[in-house]
Amino acid sequence: MLILDIYKDSLEYSAKDLKTLLIIGVCYFLSFLFLPMFLIYGYSYRVTKVSVEGMINGNDPLPEFDDVIGMFVDGIKVCLVYLGYALVPIIIFMVFALVSSAIGGYGESVLMAFGSIITLLAIIGAYVMSMFGVANMANYDGALAKAFDIKEIIEIIQSVGVVRSVGAYIGLAIICTAIFMIVGLLLFFVFGFFGIITGTLGSYTAAGGIFIAGIILGYFLMLFIVSPYILIMQSRVAGLLYNLH
């Protein structure tokens, strides 16, 4: 039940301030400039830190979007953590790919299939480790080394429960996917319905315009509202789950 309480808390917490969602959305919109991405990750770190220091169903406020330089530095640290753990499954996949290509024939297909399974498991493990790593870094006031303290992080995961930890993040991935799909389908049906009605009345140009407007609105809604909401929710879950150890 604790995991469900964490999900409930995170879903509510992420909707506390529309202005913050819009600010993060602007950063997403400008992410082609690359540098705003560090602000996004820096803010996610602040949410995790607030959550590590808070409690489930508490009155924790959303962190302020200020001290841009400090947030930028925190974002770089978070990216280094994600990149560091992502290297493990990448290396595993490359090793299997090189070895299987050297073997060739039927053995190549079998080995690559086995390697793909191992890589998938490594991706899940790296994701869970990186999320706990960022939370551990937040617990130690931004000490980057603590994000890579493998022994301590494994002990924390074992304390929380390996099955519970992995299951919580798999469940989180399902929830995030469901949110994107539900919003997308709602927009599709609403604008599709009006487009079809307009088309049956003979105004095909207007129907096409409605469909295009739906696509544009969907893009900006995902960018400025849904993506920031998901970011905050994931960071909140990371901090609260860490607190269970």
PDB file of all heavy atoms in Angstrom, residues 66-100:
ATOM      1  N   ASP A  66      14.355  29.206  -8.910  1.00  0.00           N
ATOM      2  CA  ASP A  66      15.252  30.350  -8.743  1.00  0.00           C
ATOM      3  C   ASP A  66      16.688  29.847  -8.642  1.00  0.00           C
ATOM      4  O   ASP A  66      16.947  28.650  -8.834  1.00  0.00           O
ATOM      5  CB  ASP A  66      14.868  31.153  -7.498  1.00  0.00           C
ATOM      6  CG  ASP A  66      14.847  30.300  -6.239  1.00  0.00           C
ATOM      7  OD1 ASP A  66      15.307  29.137  -6.288  1.00  0.00           O
ATOM      8  OD2 ASP A  66      14.368  30.779  -5.199  1.00  0.00           O
ATOM      9  N   ASP A  67      17.639  30.751  -8.355  1.00  0.00           N
ATOM     10  CA  ASP A  67      19.056  30.385  -8.302  1.00  0.00           C
ATOM     11  C   ASP A  67      19.416  29.535  -9.520  1.00  0.00           C
ATOM     12  O   ASP A  67      19.807  28.371  -9.410  1.00  0.00           O
ATOM     13  CB  ASP A  67      19.365  29.631  -7.008  1.00  0.00           C
ATOM     14  CG  ASP A  67      20.868  29.336  -6.856  1.00  0.00           C
ATOM     15  OD1 ASP A  67      21.678  29.956  -7.574  1.00  0.00           O
ATOM     16  OD2 ASP A  67      21.216  28.464  -6.031  1.00  0.00           O
ATOM     17  N   VAL A  68      19.272  30.149 -10.690  1.00  0.00           N
ATOM     18  CA  VAL A  68      19.431  29.430 -11.954  1.00  0.00           C
ATOM     19  C   VAL A  68      20.817  28.795 -12.079  1.00  0.00           C
ATOM     20  O   VAL A  68      20.942  27.676 -12.587  1.00  0.00           O
ATOM     21  CB  VAL A  68      19.168  30.385 -13.142  1.00  0.00           C
ATOM     22  CG1 VAL A  68      19.417  29.674 -14.461  1.00  0.00           C
ATOM     23  CG2 VAL A  68      17.741  30.898 -13.094  1.00  0.00           C
ATOM     24  N   ILE A  69      21.837  29.478 -11.605  1.00  0.00           N
ATOM     25  CA  ILE A  69      23.198  28.935 -11.710  1.00  0.00           C
ATOM     26  C   ILE A  69      23.322  27.654 -10.876  1.00  0.00           C
ATOM     27  O   ILE A  69      23.860  26.634 -11.342  1.00  0.00           O
ATOM     28  CB  ILE A  69      24.244  29.971 -11.257  1.00  0.00           C
ATOM     29  CG1 ILE A  69      24.245  31.164 -12.210  1.00  0.00           C
ATOM     30  CG2 ILE A  69      25.635  29.342 -11.200  1.00  0.00           C
ATOM     31  CD1 ILE A  69      25.185  32.281 -11.811  1.00  0.00           C
ATOM     32  N   GLY A  70      22.817  27.702  -9.626  1.00  0.00           N
ATOM     33  CA  GLY A  70      22.847  26.517  -8.784  1.00  0.00           C
ATOM     34  C   GLY A  70      22.046  25.376  -9.387  1.00  0.00           C
ATOM     35  O   GLY A  70      22.458  24.215  -9.344  1.00  0.00           O
ATOM     36  N   MET A  71      20.895  25.704  -9.962  1.00  0.00           N
ATOM     37  CA  MET A  71      20.062  24.692 -10.603  1.00  0.00           C
ATOM     38  C   MET A  71      20.769  24.089 -11.815  1.00  0.00           C
ATOM     39  O   MET A  71      20.694  22.877 -12.066  1.00  0.00           O
ATOM     40  CB  MET A  71      18.731  25.325 -11.026  1.00  0.00           C
ATOM     41  CG  MET A  71      17.670  24.317 -11.443  1.00  0.00           C
ATOM     42  SD  MET A  71      16.182  25.125 -12.082  1.00  0.00           S
ATOM     43  CE  MET A  71      15.763  26.185 -10.698  1.00  0.00           C
ATOM     44  N   PHE A  72      21.472  24.938 -12.553  1.00  0.00           N
ATOM     45  CA  PHE A  72      22.215  24.483 -13.724  1.00  0.00           C
ATOM     46  C   PHE A  72      23.296  23.490 -13.311  1.00  0.00           C
ATOM     47  O   PHE A  72      23.467  22.434 -13.948  1.00  0.00           O
ATOM     48  CB  PHE A  72      22.839  25.696 -14.423  1.00  0.00           C
ATOM     49  CG  PHE A  72      23.516  25.375 -15.727  1.00  0.00           C
ATOM     50  CD1 PHE A  72      22.785  25.280 -16.894  1.00  0.00           C
ATOM     51  CD2 PHE A  72      24.890  25.167 -15.783  1.00  0.00           C
ATOM     52  CE1 PHE A  72      23.408  24.992 -18.102  1.00  0.00           C
ATOM     53  CE2 PHE A  72      25.516  24.879 -16.983  1.00  0.00           C
ATOM     54  CZ  PHE A  72      24.771  24.787 -18.147  1.00  0.00           C
ATOM     55  N   VAL A  73      24.023  23.793 -12.246  1.00  0.00           N
ATOM     56  CA  VAL A  73      25.081  22.905 -11.747  1.00  0.00           C
ATOM     57  C   VAL A  73      24.479  21.576 -11.284  1.00  0.00           C
ATOM     58  O   VAL A  73      25.019  20.502 -11.579  1.00  0.00           O
ATOM     59  CB  VAL A  73      25.860  23.567 -10.597  1.00  0.00           C
ATOM     60  CG1 VAL A  73      26.836  22.567  -9.963  1.00  0.00           C
ATOM     61  CG2 VAL A  73      26.617  24.793 -11.104  1.00  0.00           C
ATOM     62  N   ASP A  74      23.362  21.650 -10.572  1.00  0.00           N
ATOM     63  CA  ASP A  74      22.691  20.423 -10.122  1.00  0.00           C
ATOM     64  C   ASP A  74      22.245  19.585 -11.316  1.00  0.00           C
ATOM     65  O   ASP A  74      22.323  18.348 -11.287  1.00  0.00           O
ATOM     66  CB  ASP A  74      21.472  20.768  -9.258  1.00  0.00           C
ATOM     67  CG  ASP A  74      21.859  21.328  -7.896  1.00  0.00           C
ATOM     68  OD1 ASP A  74      22.976  21.023  -7.434  1.00  0.00           O
ATOM     69  OD2 ASP A  74      21.057  22.075  -7.302  1.00  0.00           O
ATOM     70  N   GLY A  75      21.784  20.257 -12.370  1.00  0.00           N
ATOM     71  CA  GLY A  75      21.356  19.549 -13.573  1.00  0.00           C
ATOM     72  C   GLY A  75      22.502  18.808 -14.235  1.00  0.00           C
ATOM     73  O   GLY A  75      22.329  17.685 -14.728  1.00  0.00           O
ATOM     74  N   ILE A  76      23.683  19.431 -14.241  1.00  0.00           N
ATOM     75  CA  ILE A  76      24.862  18.766 -14.800  1.00  0.00           C
ATOM     76  C   ILE A  76      25.185  17.512 -13.996  1.00  0.00           C
ATOM     77  O   ILE A  76      25.490  16.445 -14.553  1.00  0.00           O
ATOM     78  CB  ILE A  76      26.070  19.728 -14.805  1.00  0.00           C
ATOM     79  CG1 ILE A  76      25.843  20.862 -15.802  1.00  0.00           C
ATOM     80  CG2 ILE A  76      27.360  18.975 -15.157  1.00  0.00           C
ATOM     81  CD1 ILE A  76      26.925  21.923 -15.794  1.00  0.00           C
ATOM     82  N   LYS A  77      25.102  17.610 -12.674  1.00  0.00           N
ATOM     83  CA  LYS A  77      25.371  16.453 -11.808  1.00  0.00           C
ATOM     84  C   LYS A  77      24.395  15.313 -12.099  1.00  0.00           C
ATOM     85  O   LYS A  77      24.809  14.151 -12.216  1.00  0.00           O
ATOM     86  CB  LYS A  77      25.259  16.855 -10.335  1.00  0.00           C
ATOM     87  CG  LYS A  77      26.366  17.769  -9.833  1.00  0.00           C
ATOM     88  CD  LYS A  77      26.151  18.084  -8.352  1.00  0.00           C
ATOM     89  CE  LYS A  77      27.213  18.999  -7.806  1.00  0.00           C
ATOM     90  NZ  LYS A  77      26.979  19.332  -6.369  1.00  0.00           N
ATOM     91  N   VAL A  78      23.121  15.664 -12.215  1.00  0.00           N
ATOM     92  CA  VAL A  78      22.111  14.640 -12.490  1.00  0.00           C
ATOM     93  C   VAL A  78      22.380  13.960 -13.829  1.00  0.00           C
ATOM     94  O   VAL A  78      22.291  12.727 -13.944  1.00  0.00           O
ATOM     95  CB  VAL A  78      20.698  15.257 -12.479  1.00  0.00           C
ATOM     96  CG1 VAL A  78      19.659  14.247 -12.967  1.00  0.00           C
ATOM     97  CG2 VAL A  78      20.339  15.731 -11.080  1.00  0.00           C
ATOM     98  N   CYS A  79      22.722  14.742 -14.839  1.00  0.00           N
ATOM     99  CA  CYS A  79      23.033  14.176 -16.156  1.00  0.00           C
ATOM    100  C   CYS A  79      24.239  13.241 -16.090  1.00  0.00           C
ATOM    101  O   CYS A  79      24.261  12.190 -16.743  1.00  0.00           O
ATOM    102  CB  CYS A  79      23.295  15.293 -17.165  1.00  0.00           C
ATOM    103  SG  CYS A  79      21.815  16.196 -17.664  1.00  0.00           S
ATOM    104  N   LEU A  80      25.235  13.619 -15.297  1.00  0.00           N
ATOM    105  CA  LEU A  80      26.413  12.755 -15.133  1.00  0.00           C
ATOM    106  C   LEU A  80      26.036  11.433 -14.478  1.00  0.00           C
ATOM    107  O   LEU A  80      26.563  10.372 -14.848  1.00  0.00           O
ATOM    108  CB  LEU A  80      27.477  13.475 -14.293  1.00  0.00           C
ATOM    109  CG  LEU A  80      28.203  14.639 -14.965  1.00  0.00           C
ATOM    110  CD1 LEU A  80      29.131  15.346 -13.971  1.00  0.00           C
ATOM    111  CD2 LEU A  80      29.013  14.133 -16.165  1.00  0.00           C
ATOM    112  N   VAL A  81      25.119  11.491 -13.513  1.00  0.00           N
ATOM    113  CA  VAL A  81      24.653  10.264 -12.849  1.00  0.00           C
ATOM    114  C   VAL A  81      23.942   9.362 -13.853  1.00  0.00           C
ATOM    115  O   VAL A  81      24.246   8.166 -13.959  1.00  0.00           O
ATOM    116  CB  VAL A  81      23.718  10.600 -11.673  1.00  0.00           C
ATOM    117  CG1 VAL A  81      23.133   9.313 -11.076  1.00  0.00           C
ATOM    118  CG2 VAL A  81      24.462  11.378 -10.599  1.00  0.00           C
ATOM    119  N   TYR A  82      23.008   9.932 -14.601  1.00  0.00           N
ATOM    120  CA  TYR A  82      22.269   9.138 -15.592  1.00  0.00           C
ATOM    121  C   TYR A  82      23.213   8.559 -16.641  1.00  0.00           C
ATOM    122  O   TYR A  82      23.092   7.386 -17.018  1.00  0.00           O
ATOM    123  CB  TYR A  82      21.203  10.001 -16.275  1.00  0.00           C
ATOM    124  CG  TYR A  82      20.049  10.383 -15.386  1.00  0.00           C
ATOM    125  CD1 TYR A  82      19.283  11.511 -15.655  1.00  0.00           C
ATOM    126  CD2 TYR A  82      19.703   9.622 -14.272  1.00  0.00           C
ATOM    127  CE1 TYR A  82      18.211  11.863 -14.839  1.00  0.00           C
ATOM    128  CE2 TYR A  82      18.637   9.965 -13.451  1.00  0.00           C
ATOM    129  CZ  TYR A  82      17.907  11.091 -13.741  1.00  0.00           C
ATOM    130  OH  TYR A  82      16.848  11.447 -12.940  1.00  0.00           O
ATOM    131  N   LEU A  83      24.132   9.378 -17.113  1.00  0.00           N
ATOM    132  CA  LEU A  83      25.080   8.925 -18.134  1.00  0.00           C
ATOM    133  C   LEU A  83      25.979   7.830 -17.588  1.00  0.00           C
ATOM    134  O   LEU A  83      26.242   6.825 -18.265  1.00  0.00           O
ATOM    135  CB  LEU A  83      25.926  10.106 -18.619  1.00  0.00           C
ATOM    136  CG  LEU A  83      26.992   9.788 -19.674  1.00  0.00           C
ATOM    137  CD1 LEU A  83      26.333   9.240 -20.931  1.00  0.00           C
ATOM    138  CD2 LEU A  83      27.813  11.028 -20.003  1.00  0.00           C
ATOM    139  N   GLY A  84      26.447   8.007 -16.351  1.00  0.00           N
ATOM    140  CA  GLY A  84      27.340   7.028 -15.748  1.00  0.00           C
ATOM    141  C   GLY A  84      26.701   5.655 -15.645  1.00  0.00           C
ATOM    142  O   GLY A  84      27.324   4.639 -15.998  1.00  0.00           O
ATOM    143  N   TYR A  85      25.454   5.605 -15.202  1.00  0.00           N
ATOM    144  CA  TYR A  85      24.769   4.317 -15.078  1.00  0.00           C
ATOM    145  C   TYR A  85      24.336   3.771 -16.433  1.00  0.00           C
ATOM    146  O   TYR A  85      24.270   2.552 -16.634  1.00  0.00           O
ATOM    147  CB  TYR A  85      23.563   4.447 -14.142  1.00  0.00           C
ATOM    148  CG  TYR A  85      23.953   4.485 -12.681  1.00  0.00           C
ATOM    149  CD1 TYR A  85      23.950   5.687 -11.973  1.00  0.00           C
ATOM    150  CD2 TYR A  85      24.341   3.330 -12.012  1.00  0.00           C
ATOM    151  CE1 TYR A  85      24.311   5.729 -10.626  1.00  0.00           C
ATOM    152  CE2 TYR A  85      24.710   3.359 -10.666  1.00  0.00           C
ATOM    153  CZ  TYR A  85      24.693   4.571  -9.986  1.00  0.00           C
ATOM    154  OH  TYR A  85      25.068   4.602  -8.663  1.00  0.00           O
ATOM    155  N   ALA A  86      24.046   4.662 -17.387  1.00  0.00           N
ATOM    156  CA  ALA A  86      23.631   4.214 -18.722  1.00  0.00           C
ATOM    157  C   ALA A  86      24.770   3.535 -19.471  1.00  0.00           C
ATOM    158  O   ALA A  86      24.527   2.720 -20.370  1.00  0.00           O
ATOM    159  CB  ALA A  86      23.115   5.404 -19.530  1.00  0.00           C
ATOM    160  N   LEU A  87      25.997   3.866 -19.113  1.00  0.00           N
ATOM    161  CA  LEU A  87      27.148   3.262 -19.787  1.00  0.00           C
ATOM    162  C   LEU A  87      27.189   1.748 -19.602  1.00  0.00           C
ATOM    163  O   LEU A  87      27.674   1.030 -20.479  1.00  0.00           O
ATOM    164  CB  LEU A  87      28.456   3.884 -19.260  1.00  0.00           C
ATOM    165  CG  LEU A  87      28.758   5.309 -19.717  1.00  0.00           C
ATOM    166  CD1 LEU A  87      30.022   5.821 -19.021  1.00  0.00           C
ATOM    167  CD2 LEU A  87      28.938   5.356 -21.231  1.00  0.00           C
ATOM    168  N   VAL A  88      26.674   1.264 -18.475  1.00  0.00           N
ATOM    169  CA  VAL A  88      26.719  -0.177 -18.192  1.00  0.00           C
ATOM    170  C   VAL A  88      25.946  -0.983 -19.233  1.00  0.00           C
ATOM    171  O   VAL A  88      26.515  -1.878 -19.871  1.00  0.00           O
ATOM    172  CB  VAL A  88      26.216  -0.478 -16.760  1.00  0.00           C
ATOM    173  CG1 VAL A  88      26.179  -1.988 -16.520  1.00  0.00           C
ATOM    174  CG2 VAL A  88      27.103   0.210 -15.732  1.00  0.00           C
ATOM    175  N   PRO A  89      24.639  -0.725 -19.446  1.00  0.00           N
ATOM    176  CA  PRO A  89      23.931  -1.489 -20.479  1.00  0.00           C
ATOM    177  C   PRO A  89      24.466  -1.247 -21.887  1.00  0.00           C
ATOM    178  O   PRO A  89      24.437  -2.149 -22.724  1.00  0.00           O
ATOM    179  CB  PRO A  89      22.477  -1.012 -20.356  1.00  0.00           C
ATOM    180  CG  PRO A  89      22.548   0.285 -19.623  1.00  0.00           C
ATOM    181  CD  PRO A  89      23.726   0.176 -18.716  1.00  0.00           C
ATOM    182  N   ILE A  90      24.977  -0.033 -22.137  1.00  0.00           N
ATOM    183  CA  ILE A  90      25.552   0.249 -23.460  1.00  0.00           C
ATOM    184  C   ILE A  90      26.767  -0.634 -23.715  1.00  0.00           C
ATOM    185  O   ILE A  90      26.918  -1.242 -24.788  1.00  0.00           O
ATOM    186  CB  ILE A  90      25.941   1.740 -23.581  1.00  0.00           C
ATOM    187  CG1 ILE A  90      24.680   2.610 -23.609  1.00  0.00           C
ATOM    188  CG2 ILE A  90      26.778   1.988 -24.838  1.00  0.00           C
ATOM    189  CD1 ILE A  90      24.965   4.102 -23.561  1.00  0.00           C
ATOM    190  N   ILE A  91      27.638  -0.717 -22.725  1.00  0.00           N
ATOM    191  CA  ILE A  91      28.844  -1.549 -22.855  1.00  0.00           C
ATOM    192  C   ILE A  91      28.470  -3.020 -22.998  1.00  0.00           C
ATOM    193  O   ILE A  91      29.048  -3.746 -23.829  1.00  0.00           O
ATOM    194  CB  ILE A  91      29.773  -1.336 -21.642  1.00  0.00           C
ATOM    195  CG1 ILE A  91      30.362   0.075 -21.665  1.00  0.00           C
ATOM    196  CG2 ILE A  91      30.908  -2.375 -21.629  1.00  0.00           C
ATOM    197  CD1 ILE A  91      31.136   0.441 -20.426  1.00  0.00           C
ATOM    198  N   ILE A  92      27.511  -3.467 -22.202  1.00  0.00           N
ATOM    199  CA  ILE A  92      27.069  -4.869 -22.284  1.00  0.00           C
ATOM    200  C   ILE A  92      26.559  -5.196 -23.681  1.00  0.00           C
ATOM    201  O   ILE A  92      26.914  -6.228 -24.273  1.00  0.00           O
ATOM    202  CB  ILE A  92      25.972  -5.144 -21.236  1.00  0.00           C
ATOM    203  CG1 ILE A  92      26.568  -5.119 -19.825  1.00  0.00           C
ATOM    204  CG2 ILE A  92      25.295  -6.495 -21.498  1.00  0.00           C
ATOM    205  CD1 ILE A  92      25.548  -5.249 -18.723  1.00  0.00           C
ATOM    206  N   PHE A  93      25.730  -4.304 -24.232  1.00  0.00           N
ATOM    207  CA  PHE A  93      25.189  -4.534 -25.574  1.00  0.00           C
ATOM    208  C   PHE A  93      26.300  -4.559 -26.617  1.00  0.00           C
ATOM    209  O   PHE A  93      26.301  -5.418 -27.515  1.00  0.00           O
ATOM    210  CB  PHE A  93      24.173  -3.451 -25.921  1.00  0.00           C
ATOM    211  CG  PHE A  93      23.570  -3.615 -27.293  1.00  0.00           C
ATOM    212  CD1 PHE A  93      22.552  -4.520 -27.500  1.00  0.00           C
ATOM    213  CD2 PHE A  93      24.038  -2.857 -28.362  1.00  0.00           C
ATOM    214  CE1 PHE A  93      22.009  -4.688 -28.774  1.00  0.00           C
ATOM    215  CE2 PHE A  93      23.499  -3.014 -29.628  1.00  0.00           C
ATOM    216  CZ  PHE A  93      22.467  -3.928 -29.836  1.00  0.00           C
ATOM    217  N   MET A  94      27.243  -3.644 -26.519  1.00  0.00           N
ATOM    218  CA  MET A  94      28.333  -3.582 -27.488  1.00  0.00           C
ATOM    219  C   MET A  94      29.194  -4.838 -27.434  1.00  0.00           C
ATOM    220  O   MET A  94      29.630  -5.356 -28.473  1.00  0.00           O
ATOM    221  CB  MET A  94      29.189  -2.335 -27.223  1.00  0.00           C
ATOM    222  CG  MET A  94      28.497  -1.035 -27.567  1.00  0.00           C
ATOM    223  SD  MET A  94      29.522   0.422 -27.229  1.00  0.00           S
ATOM    224  CE  MET A  94      30.897   0.132 -28.344  1.00  0.00           C
ATOM    225  N   VAL A  95      29.445  -5.347 -26.229  1.00  0.00           N
ATOM    226  CA  VAL A  95      30.239  -6.573 -26.085  1.00  0.00           C
ATOM    227  C   VAL A  95      29.539  -7.747 -26.760  1.00  0.00           C
ATOM    228  O   VAL A  95      30.155  -8.502 -27.523  1.00  0.00           O
ATOM    229  CB  VAL A  95      30.498  -6.886 -24.592  1.00  0.00           C
ATOM    230  CG1 VAL A  95      31.078  -8.293 -24.430  1.00  0.00           C
ATOM    231  CG2 VAL A  95      31.431  -5.859 -23.989  1.00  0.00           C
ATOM    232  N   PHE A  96      28.247  -7.898 -26.499  1.00  0.00           N
ATOM    233  CA  PHE A  96      27.483  -8.986 -27.124  1.00  0.00           C
ATOM    234  C   PHE A  96      27.446  -8.817 -28.638  1.00  0.00           C
ATOM    235  O   PHE A  96      27.536  -9.806 -29.386  1.00  0.00           O
ATOM    236  CB  PHE A  96      26.058  -9.029 -26.566  1.00  0.00           C
ATOM    237  CG  PHE A  96      25.926  -9.841 -25.319  1.00  0.00           C
ATOM    238  CD1 PHE A  96      25.857  -9.241 -24.077  1.00  0.00           C
ATOM    239  CD2 PHE A  96      25.879 -11.234 -25.378  1.00  0.00           C
ATOM    240  CE1 PHE A  96      25.735 -10.000 -22.918  1.00  0.00           C
ATOM    241  CE2 PHE A  96      25.759 -11.996 -24.225  1.00  0.00           C
ATOM    242  CZ  PHE A  96      25.689 -11.379 -22.987  1.00  0.00           C
ATOM    243  N   ALA A  97      27.304  -7.583 -29.104  1.00  0.00           N
ATOM    244  CA  ALA A  97      27.245  -7.329 -30.548  1.00  0.00           C
ATOM    245  C   ALA A  97      28.561  -7.688 -31.221  1.00  0.00           C
ATOM    246  O   ALA A  97      28.572  -8.317 -32.298  1.00  0.00           O
ATOM    247  CB  ALA A  97      26.909  -5.859 -30.801  1.00  0.00           C
ATOM    248  N   LEU A  98      29.672  -7.319 -30.605  1.00  0.00           N
ATOM    249  CA  LEU A  98      30.986  -7.614 -31.183  1.00  0.00           C
ATOM    250  C   LEU A  98      31.277  -9.107 -31.187  1.00  0.00           C
ATOM    251  O   LEU A  98      31.752  -9.663 -32.188  1.00  0.00           O
ATOM    252  CB  LEU A  98      32.078  -6.864 -30.410  1.00  0.00           C
ATOM    253  CG  LEU A  98      32.104  -5.338 -30.577  1.00  0.00           C
ATOM    254  CD1 LEU A  98      33.092  -4.707 -29.609  1.00  0.00           C
ATOM    255  CD2 LEU A  98      32.455  -4.975 -32.011  1.00  0.00           C
ATOM    256  N   VAL A  99      30.986  -9.769 -30.074  1.00  0.00           N
ATOM    257  CA  VAL A  99      31.251 -11.204 -29.967  1.00  0.00           C
ATOM    258  C   VAL A  99      30.369 -12.002 -30.921  1.00  0.00           C
ATOM    259  O   VAL A  99      30.847 -12.916 -31.611  1.00  0.00           O
ATOM    260  CB  VAL A  99      31.038 -11.694 -28.511  1.00  0.00           C
ATOM    261  CG1 VAL A  99      31.171 -13.218 -28.430  1.00  0.00           C
ATOM    262  CG2 VAL A  99      32.042 -11.040 -27.570  1.00  0.00           C
ATOM    263  N   SER A 100      29.094 -11.641 -30.971  1.00  0.00           N
ATOM    264  CA  SER A 100      28.163 -12.377 -31.842  1.00  0.00           C
ATOM    265  C   SER A 100      28.515 -12.196 -33.315  1.00  0.00           C
ATOM    266  O   SER A 100      28.409 -13.133 -34.107  1.00  0.00           O
ATOM    267  CB  SER A 100      26.725 -11.921 -31.589  1.00  0.00           C
ATOM    268  OG  SER A 100      26.577 -10.542 -31.872  1.00  0.00           O
TER     269      SER A 100
END
